[in-house]
Amino acid sequence: MAGQFESAEAGGAAIALDEVEISILRSLTVQLLELIGPGTEPAEPPRSETPPGEGVRGDSLEEELAGIEAVSWPSFADGPSEPPADPVLARLFPDAYGPGPGPGPSPEADPGSDEAARARHDRAASAEFRRYTENDLRARKREDGLAVVRSLDALTPGDRGAVLTLGPEESRRWLGTLNDLRLALGTRLEVSDDSDDELYSLPDSDERKPLVMAYLWLGSLQETLVETLMP
């Protein structure tokens, strides 16, 4: 079980985590929660630049989670119509229409061309879709992240760590958060097919190495958790 999820009773999943692994997962998830916040920008700048695995803010658990849970939106309020400026948030909340991340039509394209017309249509459709869906999506991601933090905080690791056991619903929340964490780290690292070899062979002295190791580890956790949820 060490290092990967395995199937548990009643359709759940279980994994053995040591104290350092618990700390890394918790730190990354709290930073993700702070980033998600309401609107198109973080609710407030993260109060910690602590690297993964070296702990998080000095607040008590109750104050920390209460501050995150207090983030909310007015009922039935429209969401933003423009994509977030932060690259990570733009990856977590992408446009619903169009080619996706990357350059749009050439600035030199004829405004009357089919390409420019499609781009205008996609921007308008994405803006309308975002208005009605982004707040709900942010709320779901926040709820998933809070579920991960609370399940980690419920553990009492001993000399050999602790076994985390998740039910089916908790497993789905963990899967969503693990995916968001990998997207966030991958965006910060600018992971692409062309950069894979370079990133995976970084020397230990490279400041990106801890994030790359965390990115690869999260991928392993995500893969094995998916396998436990497959019929």
Side-chain angles (χ1 to χ4, degrees), residues 60-154:
S60 70
L61 168 63
E62 292 77 11
E63 292 172 331
E64 180 183 356
L65 293 188
I68 293 172
E69 289 180 310
V71 175
S72 61
W73 298 267
S75 300
F76 307 112
D78 285 352
S81 59
E82 295 297 324
D86 185 287
V88 172
L89 289 175
R91 188 69 180 88
L92 294 175
F93 303 101
D95 279 337
Y97 303 94
S106 169
E108 300 177 359
D110 182 352
S113 67
D114 290 344
E115 179 186 15
R118 282 194 300 270
R120 289 194 297 270
H121 175 273
D122 288 343
R123 284 196 298 271
S126 293
E128 189 72 0
F129 186 83
R130 187 181 294 276
R131 279 181 57 210
Y132 294 110
T133 62
E134 184 169 312
N135 282 352
D136 287 343
L137 182 56
R138 284 177 180 267
R140 179 174 62 78
K141 289 180 182 295
R142 190 178 76 243
E143 290 166 2
D144 289 349
L146 283 167
V148 169
V149 172
R150 291 194 177 283
S151 61
L152 291 171
D153 288 338

